[in-house]
Amino acid sequence: MGRPLTITEKIILNHTDLDDVMPGDIVNARVDIALGNDITAPIAIKEFETIGIKGVFDRQKIALVPDHFVPNKDILSARQAKMLREFAKTYDIKYYFECGEAGVEHALLPEKGIVLPGDLVIGADSHTCTYGALGAFATGVGSTDLAYAFAFGELWLKVPESIKVVFEGRPKKWVSGKDLVLYLIGQIGVEGANYMALEFSGNTFKHLGMADRFTISNMAIEAGAKSGIFEPDEITEEYVKGRANRDYTFYKSDEGAKYAKVLNFNTEIINPQVAFPHLPENSVDINEASAKNIKIDQSVIGSCTNGRIEDLRIAAQVLKGKKIAKYTRLIVIPATVEVYRMAEKEGLIDIFMDAGAVVSTPTCGPCLGGYMGILADGERAISSTNRNFKGRMGDVTSEVYLANPAVCAASAILGKISNPEEVM
Amino acid sequence: MIFKGKVFKFGDNIDTDAIIPARYLNDSSDENLKKHCMEDADPAFSSNVSKGDFIVAGSNFGCGSSREHAPRAIKASGVPVVIAKSFARIFYRNSFNIGLFILEANTDDIASGDTLEVNTDNGEIKNLTKNTVINAKPIPKFMSELVNAGGLMEYARKRVKEGGRR
């Protein structure tokens, strides 16, 4: 028996040939899945072709998901998507998805069982940390890193220190994973976990499902974190079984494992949160936000953060039988084709359309100011996405407020930032 | 290496959307990235910057997206070194991977327009305008080897020449 390890240290150690790893060590780690999208993979593909190696390391361990500007928004985007398609054909990449079978990468890969507990996943997309929800070590890297991983199936990584984040207690009504993570970022700041792994635990997560865990891990990067991991449990098992078609491993942190710090939060006092422009750390209680009478032009429900079926169900619960405010746009974007299909079958799409929303095919679209809902100068949006940086969704003078899907739905109905309680 | 140039100073939390807005990410060519570098933080940057100039900033420079387009845009603009109080993680690794120097230092007393002489070997930053010297945090050994080797792709090509995949 070596020294006690965190779940993060264990997963990294098991992907090296070493006997021990310490925070701060730089190691070469084997990669289970290497991911790229239509923005980051084109650079990786160009770089890969300069390495002078025959073929990729493993055609079954690469995922290429065109999602940011797909269905292609313009000719240049079409060219980038074409590069992915050609690369996928050339190397017979197993996990390549056209838009009719795909969706937002970080919703898609877990849904299809492509990323699994115990995996080491690198992705050329900052929200790759989403898969930490499954008990995997997953982190965002750059395109050059991805090219290197395409070639060698490994990558240099610095073993991170971990911060343990404990949420105890039952969440209030309308409080979701989004609110807990916005609250956390409000407490520690956008740089509060820079270079570190966040490890989430506490009995609150017995009351929340996998969708909430995905949302929380997804936004670990907004506190600067390298990863955001949950110890897998019966809720993870329930999600993974039936999706996985290879073996997976549940790792747990050892008793006595060392943490840089431990943060304890009482979930029972947390209300839905709204992050004000222009940083995710500007989170404010929904009642305070609502009292400010902040008019909105657009509401967006979707993205790798909150575009899952659970998110759409909550939004539909708020919107059912109601109309959105005049001169307000509500854009609903199911994160994957499968989510879209489920929403259709459950009657959610009708609820959205009856309320006056437009429903888009899966895409990252407006989240990053790509297309499908760009803001004009001075316009204001509330959004279930993950970033509210200056100009993130359009003109540099526009504003984005971040919130959970229920708050986004309620705000669309009243045309101003609102507590779901105000419309129920 | 020693670099000399003038400073473009920015504040805290300069995110990758400010460095290269997503609306330009449908084209990863250096020409396109250079043209729109820093556009949402300083629209005049691309027309005012000269080869050898420095970007100097506060804390958490490069936060947000993993887009390697951000350090590539800076490098394509002719900026050899970015100096900030701290850097977001992915931007940090991307910069070293593509051979852009990154120095962490207290940048409070550096202003736009100052002329600096920066030694990336020992981290010494001479402010020739103010006649002061600031010492940057030493670059970790692995990172300086990476950047001195010409970045991760150069390292990868060498690895292939020396015997392939494993």
Side-chain angles (χ1 to χ4, degrees):
Chain A
M1 272 294 282
R3 62 186 189 89
L5 299 176
T6 65
I7 178 172
T8 299
E9 292 158 1
K10 272 189 198 177
I11 296 174
I12 294 175
L13 177 63
N14 278 294
H15 286 80
T16 68
D17 299 325
L18 304 168
D19 300 322
D20 190 17
V21 294
M22 295 283 281
D25 289 355
I26 290 175
V27 302
N28 253 327
R30 288 185 294 276
V31 169
D32 294 306
I33 292 287
L35 164 73
N37 60 50
D38 52 318
I39 287 181
T40 60
I43 294 181
I45 290 167
K46 277 190 249 169
E47 292 293 351
F48 172 80
E49 282 162 0
T50 72
I51 297 176
I53 200 163
K54 278 199 198 75
V56 297
F57 83 106
D58 188 337
R59 59 168 284 273
Q60 306 198 57
K61 292 185 174 180
I62 292 172
L64 293 173
V65 186
D67 59 357
H68 279 58
F69 296 158
V70 168
N72 305 333
K73 83 175 178 110
D74 54 24
I75 295 167
L76 290 171
S77 307
R79 276 185 201 145
Q80 296 198 146
K82 190 177 169 192
M83 281 182 74
L84 268 65
R85 188 174 303 111
E86 294 301 323
F87 186 84
K89 276 189 214 165
T90 304
Y91 297 104
D92 194 21
I93 301 300
K94 186 173 177 191
Y95 300 120
Y96 167 78
F97 301 91
E98 289 298 351
C99 56
E101 54 190 357
V104 178
E105 51 195 328
H106 308 308
L108 185 75
L109 264 50
E111 182 187 281
K112 300 255 187 220
I114 295 167
V115 289
L116 293 169
D119 280 357
L120 192 147
V121 184
I122 62 107
D125 188 278
S126 61
H127 292 109
T128 300
C129 52
T130 308
Y131 316 128
L134 293 164
F137 174 80
T139 193
V141 298
S143 298
T144 295
D145 286 315
L146 184 61
Y148 193 88
F150 281 171
F152 303 109
E154 57 183 49
L155 195 60
W156 70 270
L157 287 175
K158 187 161 137 191
V159 180
E161 286 190 286
S162 294
I163 299 177
K164 191 168 185 172
V165 180
V166 187
F167 282 98
E168 294 283 354
R170 187 183 281 270
K172 288 189 191 178
K173 193 166 188 209
W174 305 117
V175 169
S176 65
K178 182 61 161 287
D179 305 294
L180 301 184
V181 73
L182 286 178
Y183 183 84
L184 170 69
I185 299 164
Q187 297 292 312
I188 67 174
V190 290
E191 211 185 358
N194 200 8
Y195 302 110
M196 297 199 197
L198 290 170
E199 182 179 322
F200 298 100
S201 67
N203 66 23
T204 293
F205 300 109
K206 302 292 170 203
H207 304 291
L208 295 168
M210 275 310 295
D212 294 283
R213 294 186 192 186
F214 283 123
T215 304
I216 291 172
S217 292
N218 173 272
M219 288 193 70
I221 178 70
E222 311 318 332
K226 182 169 208 156
S227 56
I229 199 164
F230 284 80
E231 282 186 352
D233 59 10
E234 63 286 352
I235 294 173
T236 323
E237 179 64 32
E238 186 59 34
Y239 181 87
V240 171
K241 72 171 187 207
R243 298 177 197 269
N245 39 43
R246 59 183 166 90
D247 292 340
Y248 51 89
T249 312
F250 278 19
Y251 291 95
K252 306 241 175 222
S253 291
D254 291 326
E255 193 77 31
K258 223 175 137 214
Y259 294 91
K261 55 183 142 176
V262 179
L263 302 171
N264 290 287
F265 297 110
N266 176 4
T267 304
E268 292 174 12
I269 61 160
I270 299 172
N271 281 324
Q273 302 285 306
V274 179
F276 279 44
H278 294 285
L279 286 174
E281 70 184 20
N282 299 333
S283 52
V284 161
D285 189 298
I286 183 62
N287 296 318
E288 195 185 319
S290 173
K292 288 183 194 283
N293 208 18
I294 301 164
K295 190 191 158 298
I296 56 149
D297 301 289
Q298 176 168 301
S299 174
V300 176
I301 299 172
S303 82
C304 58
T305 311
N306 280 122
R308 295 180 182 80
I309 190 65
E310 293 84 349
D311 300 308
L312 301 193
R313 283 179 191 142
I314 292 167
Q317 193 188 330
V318 175
L319 286 161
K320 191 169 185 180
K322 302 187 187 73
K323 292 273 182 203
I324 64 169
K326 199 168 163 65
Y327 303 119
T328 305
R329 294 102 65 183
L330 171 59
I331 302 168
V332 180
I333 311 176
T336 66
V337 170
E338 183 60 28
V339 172
Y340 202 131
R341 204 184 284 276
M342 285 172 81
E344 169 102 72
K345 281 193 183 139
E346 294 178 20
L348 311 184
I349 304 289
D350 280 339
I351 293 173
F352 298 140
M353 293 181 78
D354 289 344
V358 66
V359 183
S360 160
T361 57
T363 178
C364 305
C367 172
L368 75 160
Y371 70 137
M372 206 64 89
I374 302 304
L375 301 173
D377 47 295
E379 284 196 323
R380 195 178 282 141
I382 191 158
S383 180
S384 78
T385 56
N386 44 55
R387 289 190 178 130
N388 55 353
F389 300 148
K390 205 175 246 193
R392 173 78 177 175
M393 201 177 274
D395 188 90
V396 73
T397 62
S398 63
E399 292 182 344
V400 178
Y401 292 70
L402 304 175
N404 74 32
V407 171
C408 291
S411 303
I413 294 167
L414 296 178
K416 66 180 200 65
I417 295 180
S418 306
N419 188 330
E421 284 303 317
E422 296 173 53
V423 300
M424 296 308 281
Chain B
M1 283 206 273
I2 293 175
F3 300 96
K4 195 173 151 184
K6 71 171 192 296
V7 169
F8 286 80
K9 180 81 187 276
F10 296 91
D12 294 337
N13 300 314
I14 296 294
D15 59 79
T16 51
D17 284 276
I19 300 169
I20 182 75
R23 57 187 177 272
Y24 304 119
L25 297 185
N26 53 6
D27 176 1
S28 64
S29 69
D30 279 356
E31 303 76 64
N32 176 58
L33 299 178
K34 180 181 167 178
K35 196 162 128 197
H36 300 293
C37 186
M38 305 307 289
E39 188 169 299
D40 281 359
D42 173 8
F45 180 83
S46 68
S47 42
N48 292 340
V49 71
S50 306
K51 192 169 160 49
D53 287 345
F54 301 107
I55 287 176
V56 178
S59 60
N60 205 26
F61 187 87
C63 61
S65 143
S66 69
R67 63 187 72 154
E68 200 172 286
H69 309 66
R72 281 173 181 264
I74 291 171
K75 201 179 171 195
S77 301
V79 172
V81 186
V82 182
I83 308 164
K85 283 187 191 168
S86 61
F87 291 89
R89 190 199 131 250
I90 307 176
F91 183 89
Y92 186 87
R93 75 178 285 138
N94 282 346
S95 299
F96 283 102
N97 279 344
I98 66 157
L100 173 70
F101 282 102
I102 292 292
L103 290 177
E104 283 182 291
N106 184 348
T107 54
D108 283 342
D109 295 330
I110 304 176
S112 271
D114 286 359
T115 299
L116 305 182
E117 190 180 284
V118 177
N119 183 334
T120 53
D121 296 329
N122 64 13
E124 193 179 75
I125 302 164
K126 282 188 192 156
N127 189 328
L128 302 179
T129 306
K130 299 206 166 92
N131 204 19
T132 54
V133 176
I134 302 162
N135 286 302
K137 266 169 63 175
I139 299 177
K141 189 164 163 274
F142 175 80
M143 311 302 289
S144 64
E145 282 171 9
L146 195 58
V147 78
N148 284 323
L152 189 62
M153 284 300 100
E154 210 42 65
Y155 179 81
R157 288 187 278 273
K158 203 168 143 224
R159 183 170 168 180
V160 171
K161 274 191 202 130
E162 284 171 5
R165 203 158 258 140
R166 276 217 158 248

